[in-house]
Amino acid sequence: MEEPNGFAEVATINDMELEGQHNNEEERESTESNYLRNRTLSSTSVAIVGAKVSHIESLDYEINENDLFKHDWRKRSRLQTLQYVFIKWTLAFLVGLFTGGVATLISLSIENISGYKLRATINYIDDKRYFMGFAFFAGANFLLTLVAAFITVYFAPTAAGPGVPEIKAYLNGVDTPNMFGATTLFVKIIGSIGAVSAGLDLGKEEPLIHIGSCIASLLGQGGSDSYKLSWHWLRYFNNDRDKRDLITYGSSSGVCAAFRAPVAGVLFALEEVATWWRSALIWRTFFSTAVVLVVLRIFMDYCKSGSCGLFGRGGIIMFDVSDVIVRYHFVDIIPVVIIGVIGGLLGSLYNHVLHKVLRLYNLVNEKGKLHKLLLALSVSLFTSICIYGLPFLAKCKPCDSSLSDSCPGTGETGNFKQFNCPNDYYNDLATLLLATKEDAIRNIFSLNTGTEFQVISLLIFFLLYCILGVITFGIAVPSGLYIPIILMGSGYGRLLGIAMRPYTKIDQDLFAVLGAASLMAGSMRMTVTVCVIFLELTNNLLLLPITMLVLLIAKSVADCFNPSIYEIILELKGLPFLEAHPEAWMRNITVGELADVKPPVVTLEGIEKVRRIVEVLKYTTHNGFPVVDGMIPELHGLVLRTHLLLVLKKKWFLNERRRTEDWEVEEKFTWIDLAERWGKIEDIAVTKDEMEMYVDLHPLINTTPHTVVESLSVAKAMVAFRQVGLRHMIIVPKYQAAGVFPVVGILTRQDLRACNILNVFPHLAKSKSIKKGN
C-alpha cells in the first residue's frame, strides 16, 4: 500500500538497504570497519551525570563563520544590534530577579520548617519528655530527608550534590546532559529545602548556585520544551555561546543570594567556574548580583514585621563586627600563620578522605535506587542521634550575669540554650548543635564570648562535624559544602584561639572566622572569593590583611598534597575538564604524533552525495568533518554533525551536482536553525531515491576553522583549546606540496586528556613523574 506522502519505500536509517557496492551485509561491515579501525586514541567520552553514565559532548563556543552567518551579520541593522544587547541586559535582570526570589523562598521555608521543628523539640525537653523529643526530632528529619532523597533519586538524579563541578565543566566547554532542565530546577529547590531542614550537615549555598544557573539556562532557551512552556522570542539566545554567558550570570547570582555578597558572586565566577572572561561579562554579572541583593533586601525588610513566620531571625548568614576595633601586632602573625598551615593540612586531608568516601558511595549507588534512599536515610538517622544525644554529655554552665543577652535563652535561636540544665544554667553544646546551621555559625562567631564555650564542647562539635561532613556529602540529595566547611573551620579556630590566648591579643571569636576561612581555602582552593565573602559578611576592613594571609598560606600548603574538592569531583565523574596549565611532559609530544595514533580522518566534499553523508553519520561518532575539495585537494573548512542532520531533516537535496544560490539557502535555513541541535541519525528517514541525490555543503561550512601545523606541541594545543573555547582543531601538514593531503587529522577535547595520552604513550608517564610541578 502506498504511503500518504507519495513515497512508496521509506525506511529509517537503521533498516536502510544500501545499493551499489553496499548491497550485501559483508560490504556494509567492511564500510563500517573503515571508519572504526585502529581506535588507539579514543575520541569518545563517557561520564557520570546524575545517576547514569552518559556520553559527553563538547560545546560549540566558537563562532561558526559560514555563509549564512556572514549574510545575517551583514544585513543586521543598528536597531537589531541594540535590541540584542537590550535583551541580554534584560535577561541578566531576570536572572537576578528570579534567583533572588527563589533564594528568599528557600530561606523562608528552611527557617520556618527548622524553627518550628526545633521549637517543638525544645518544648518536649523542657517538659522532661526526652524520648518523645528524640522521636519527634528524628522522625521529622527522617521524613524531610525521605522527601528530598525520593524526588532526587526518582525524578532528577542530576539535582543531587552541589552542581558546581558540572557548572565549571559546562563553562569549560563540556555539555553535561540534563543539568539545567526544568525538572532539575524544581527538584533542586524542593530537595534543598527538605535536606537542609532535616538538619543534615550540608548547606543551601552551592544548590543556590546551581539553581541560578538553571534559571539562566531556561531563560536563554526560551523556557522548557519538556513542559511545552517556551517563548520563541527568546530563542535568539538558544546557542552555546550566549548560554555560557547566561549561566555565568546565574552562578554569580547564586553566590550573591547565599551570602548577600555581590562582589564575591562576580569573583566566584571569575576565579572558580568561568574559563573564558571578558569585560562586558563583568558588567552584566555585577548587574545580576545587584538585582539579587535588592530583592533580598526588600524581602528581609518586609519580613521584619513578622509576616514571614520565623524568617528574618536567621536564614542568611551575617556576622557584623563593623563596630569592633581589631588590634594585632607583629607577634600575632605567628598564630595567624599557624592557623593557615593547619587549615591547609586539614583541608587537604578532608579532600583525601572525602575522595575515598565518594568512591565507596559510587559502589553503593550502583546497586540501585533503593540503596540510594537507604543510604540517605541512614545518614539522616545517625545525624539526628548525634545532634540530639551529644548535648547530654556536656556539663551545664552557669549564666554570666554581666551578659546583656538573656541567659538561659528561650526559643529555637540565640546563644545560651537551657536544654536539660536547671535555671540560670545553659548547655553550650546544645547551643551549637540544636540550631539551624546559620544560627550555629552566628553562635560560634559571636563576639565577647571567650568563655561561653568549653573546650570539650568545642572538641566534640569539631569532631562531629568532621565526621558528618565526610559521610553526608555524596548522598542523593542537593547539598553544599560551604556550611559544613565553615562549621568545621570555626570549631578548630575557636580551639586554637583558646590555646593561643596567652600569646596573642586577637579575639577568640575572630579566630573562629579565620579558621573557617583557612579551611575553605584548604579544601576549595579559592582565595579572592573567600576573602571577599568574609569581608562582606563581617563588614570590617581591619580583618582584611590577616584574612588574606591566612588564605594564601592555607591554599599554598594544601596545593602540595592534592587538588581542590571540585577538581576531585570532576575526576570522579570523568568530565573532560581542561586545566589552565598543561602538564610539563605535554611539551614532548606533537599534535601530529597524536593524529598518527587516531583513526584516519573522515572528510567530505563540498558537494556531497546523500548516501555518503548518511554513511558517515551512521558509522562514526565525530561531530565535525573537514571539507576537502578540488582536483588538487584543498581544505575548505569544517562542517558540523548537527548541520548535516539539519540538512537531512529538512531534506535540502539537489537532483544534480551543483552549487546553490543564496536565496535557496535563506529560504530553507535561518541562523537560529543552525544553533539548534537536531537529534540522532536514527530518527531521520531517507528514501532510496533521496540517497542518490546531492547536498551543497558550502553554505554551512565554517570557512575559518582553527588549524595548526603538525609540529605544534600538545601543551600549546591544550592552551588554545581552553582559551579560545574550541571544539575541533584541524591539523595540517607542515609542508604543503602537490599530492600531499591537506588534512593530517583533527583533535578534540578528549584527545588532549592526560589519561588518554598516557595510555597511548606510556613512556611519558616516567617523565611526568620526574617533571611534576615544573
Side-chain angles (χ1 to χ4, degrees):
M1 184 176 178
E2 201 171 59
E3 295 292 327
N5 61 2
F7 291 109
E9 298 175 22
V10 178
T12 62
I13 300 300
N14 278 335
D15 302 322
M16 200 175 297
E17 296 180 1
L18 304 180
E19 295 180 341
Q21 69 270 33
H22 300 283
N23 269 339
N24 58 66
E25 188 66 27
E26 292 181 2
E27 292 183 357
R28 281 181 58 177
E29 291 177 359
S30 175
T31 301
E32 184 172 0
S33 66
N34 287 336
Y35 293 111
L36 301 180
R37 68 180 184 274
N38 299 328
R39 283 191 177 273
T40 309
L41 180 63
S42 173
S43 60
T44 61
S45 175
V46 293
I48 301 174
V49 181
K52 61 182 181 180
V53 176
S54 303
H55 287 278
I56 297 297
E57 301 292 349
S58 298
L59 297 165
D60 292 307
Y61 287 155
E62 183 187 5
I63 294 177
N64 198 319
E65 293 186 347
N66 52 39
D67 290 347
L68 198 61
F69 170 82
K70 293 175 183 176
H71 178 76
D72 176 76
W73 189 259
R74 283 193 296 266
K75 72 176 186 179
R76 273 191 190 181
S77 64
R78 181 173 177 80
L79 180 63
Q80 288 176 311
T81 304
L82 291 174
Q83 182 185 20
Y84 172 81
V85 174
F86 174 77
I87 294 176
K88 209 160 190 178
W89 279 96
T90 303
L91 288 175
F93 171 79
L94 293 176
V95 168
L97 180 67
F98 292 144
T99 303
V102 171
T104 305
L105 171 66
I106 292 175
S107 295
L108 188 150
S109 302
I110 290 173
E111 284 298 303
N112 279 284
I113 295 173
S114 300
Y116 287 115
K117 178 191 70 178
L118 290 171
R119 178 178 290 179
T121 303
I122 290 171
N123 288 337
Y124 281 118
I125 294 172
D126 291 342
D127 295 337
K128 309 300 181 182
R129 301 169 66 187
Y130 298 122
F131 180 77
M132 283 299 300
F134 171 73
F136 175 81
F137 183 73
N141 290 342
F142 189 89
L143 289 176
L144 289 167
T145 305
L146 178 62
V147 171
F150 182 84
I151 62 174
T152 302
V153 169
Y154 286 95
F155 294 99
T158 51
V164 174
E166 289 83 356
I167 296 171
K168 189 173 180 177
Y170 185 93
L171 297 178
N172 189 257
V174 181
D175 187 15
T176 47
N178 303 318
M179 275 304 298
F180 306 109
T183 305
T184 302
L185 172 63
F186 296 139
V187 171
K188 198 82 175 186
I189 293 171
I190 299 171
S192 297
I193 294 171
V196 178
S197 300
L200 295 173
D201 186 25
L202 43 82
K204 62 180 183 292
E205 288 69 31
E206 275 120 318
L208 277 174
I209 298 171
H210 190 187
I211 287 167
S213 300
C214 289
I215 291 171
S217 177
L218 291 171
L219 285 173
Q221 68 188 32
S224 173
D225 291 330
S226 303
Y227 297 98
K228 309 299 181 185
L229 298 172
S230 59
W231 305 277
H232 291 284
W233 64 279
L234 282 176
R235 292 283 178 176
Y236 294 106
F237 296 90
N238 192 15
N239 60 81
D240 294 338
R241 193 177 179 86
D242 284 323
K243 196 182 291 185
R244 172 181 61 181
D245 291 352
L246 291 172
I247 288 177
T248 304
Y249 308 157
S251 62
S252 300
S253 300
V255 173
C256 178
F259 296 103
R260 280 196 296 168
V263 177
V266 177
L267 291 174
F268 173 81
L270 175 61
E271 181 182 15
E272 185 60 27
V273 295
T275 299
W276 191 79
W277 200 261
R278 66 186 191 280
S279 59
L281 198 58
I282 295 179
W283 283 106
R284 283 191 281 266
T285 302
F286 187 68
F287 176 62
S288 288
T289 58
V291 173
V292 172
L293 195 61
V294 171
V295 172
L296 291 177
R297 185 79 272 171
I298 291 172
F299 275 103
M300 290 186 72
D301 289 342
Y302 172 76
C303 290
K304 282 182 179 178
S305 62
S307 305
C308 304
L310 299 179
F311 182 70
R313 308 181 189 184
I316 298 178
I317 302 170
M318 193 64 184
F319 173 55
D320 192 347
V321 292
S322 56
D323 57 344
V324 177
I325 300 176
V326 182
R327 292 188 177 93
Y328 42 85
H329 305 283
F330 182 76
V331 293
D332 295 325
I333 298 298
I334 296 175
V336 169
V337 171
I338 292 174
I339 202 169
V341 172
I342 295 176
L345 293 173
L346 288 178
S348 59
L349 178 62
Y350 176 73
N351 289 0
H352 175 76
V353 175
L354 190 59
H355 184 194
K356 302 299 182 184
V357 172
L358 290 177
R359 292 176 70 91
L360 176 63
Y361 280 6
N362 282 341
L363 297 178
V364 175
N365 292 337
E366 287 174 1
K367 295 182 178 181
K369 296 179 178 179
L370 181 60
H371 287 79
K372 291 183 180 182
L373 281 176
L374 292 176
L375 178 61
L377 295 175
S378 300
V379 171
S380 174
L381 187 59
F382 177 76
T383 303
S384 298
I385 292 172
C386 292
I387 289 178
Y388 188 88
L390 287 176
F392 286 98
L393 302 179
K395 292 182 178 180
C396 296
K397 289 196 66 177
C399 293
D400 188 348
S401 58
S402 64
L403 293 174
S404 58
D405 294 343
S406 60
C407 181
T410 58
E412 68 286 344
T413 61
N415 288 10
F416 313 112
K417 288 187 177 174
Q418 186 172 1
F419 195 62
N420 62 333
C421 297
N423 293 333
D424 297 325
Y425 283 79
Y426 71 95
N427 188 311
D428 59 343
L429 191 54
T431 299
L432 296 176
L433 296 183
L434 274 176
T436 63
K437 299 298 180 288
E438 287 80 2
D439 281 330
I441 292 173
R442 284 192 189 88
N443 294 340
I444 202 168
F445 277 5
S446 54
L447 296 170
N448 303 317
T449 55
T451 60
E452 177 184 344
F453 301 105
Q454 303 172 85
V455 173
I456 187 64
S457 297
L458 290 172
L459 187 60
I460 293 173
F461 173 82
F462 171 65
L463 293 176
L464 173 63
Y465 276 109
C466 284
I467 296 170
L468 294 180
V470 168
I471 67 172
T472 305
F473 188 80
I475 63 175
V477 295
S479 57
L481 279 170
Y482 279 104
I483 293 299
I485 289 176
I486 289 176
L487 289 170
M488 285 187 286
S490 59
Y492 91 79
R494 274 272 186 170
L495 288 169
L496 191 62
I498 294 174
M500 291 287 179
R501 184 186 303 167
Y503 311 105
T504 180
K505 295 185 180 301
I506 300 177
D507 196 287
Q508 292 179 38
D509 321 314
L510 301 182
F511 266 99
V513 178
L514 296 177
S518 67
L519 194 58
M520 286 185 73
S523 177
M524 298 182 175
R525 311 298 157 82
M526 292 186 294
T527 53
V528 181
T529 304
V530 174
C531 186
V532 175
I533 285 176
F534 278 89
L535 176 64
E536 294 185 304
L537 289 183
T538 58
N539 197 21
N540 195 328
L541 279 173
L542 295 175
L543 281 175
L544 185 60
I546 56 176
T547 304
M548 292 172 63
L549 183 61
V550 162
L551 293 171
L552 290 172
I553 293 172
K555 182 183 185 303
S556 301
V557 171
D559 281 339
C560 298
F561 298 97
N562 51 29
S564 73
I565 187 62
Y566 292 144
E567 292 175 10
I568 289 174
I569 296 173
L570 285 170
E571 180 188 351
L572 284 174
K573 289 180 174 290
L575 295 169
F577 184 84
L578 293 182
E579 298 292 343
H581 305 289
E583 299 276 359
W585 55 267
M586 289 183 175
R587 299 188 183 95
N588 301 330
I589 185 172
T590 66
V591 293
E593 292 175 303
L594 283 188
D596 289 340
V597 295
K598 287 191 65 176
V601 63
V602 178
T603 62
L604 297 172
E605 295 183 1
I607 301 175
E608 191 60 85
K609 210 168 189 179
V610 174
R611 179 188 301 280
R612 165 71 174 167
I613 294 175
V614 168
E615 289 175 356
V616 166
L617 294 178
K618 180 179 179 182
Y619 295 128
T620 71
T621 58
H622 308 321
N623 287 287
F625 303 93
V627 178
V628 178
D629 222 346
M631 295 294 294
I632 299 177
E634 181 179 332
L635 176 65
H636 284 253
L638 185 81
V639 64
L640 297 178
R641 182 186 193 90
T642 183
H643 294 169
L644 296 176
L645 291 170
L646 174 62
V647 166
L648 296 179
K649 190 175 183 69
K650 293 206 170 189
K651 299 190 179 295
W652 192 55
F653 305 144
L654 303 172
N655 291 317
E656 56 185 352
R657 184 185 289 270
R658 67 174 179 86
R659 292 289 296 268
T660 53
E661 301 292 336
D662 289 344
W663 65 269
E664 294 179 276
V665 182
E666 295 169 19
E667 188 179 66
K668 200 73 174 179
F669 303 106
T670 66
W671 63 274
I672 299 178
D673 292 333
L674 299 185
E676 297 280 352
R677 296 193 175 162
W678 295 94
K680 300 178 181 179
I681 182 64
E682 290 80 10
D683 301 328
I684 301 175
V686 180
T687 66
K688 289 183 178 179
D689 293 337
E690 289 169 343
M691 294 286 281
E692 303 304 318
M693 301 176 76
Y694 297 90
V695 175
D696 179 18
L697 297 178
H698 289 94
L700 305 177
I701 296 173
N702 179 9
T703 56
T704 57
H706 283 263
T707 59
V708 295
V709 294
E710 57 186 340
S711 57
L712 184 79
S713 70
V714 171
K716 275 192 172 182
M718 183 174 171
V719 171
F721 250 87
R722 179 183 168 93
Q723 291 184 348
V724 184
L726 299 181
R727 187 177 187 181
H728 304 97
M729 179 180 284
I730 298 177
I731 307 170
V732 298
K734 185 175 182 180
Y735 302 104
Q736 300 284 347
V740 176
F741 197 69
V743 179
V744 174
I746 186 168
L747 286 185
T748 65
R749 165 183 300 268
Q750 306 302 328
D751 304 325
L752 297 175
R753 293 189 70 190
C755 58
N756 287 346
I757 297 174
L758 291 175
N759 286 337
V760 180
F761 301 97
H763 66 280
L764 292 174
K766 184 177 180 181
S767 66
K768 176 185 177 183
S769 60
I770 294 174
K771 298 184 178 181
K772 185 177 180 180
N774 286 0

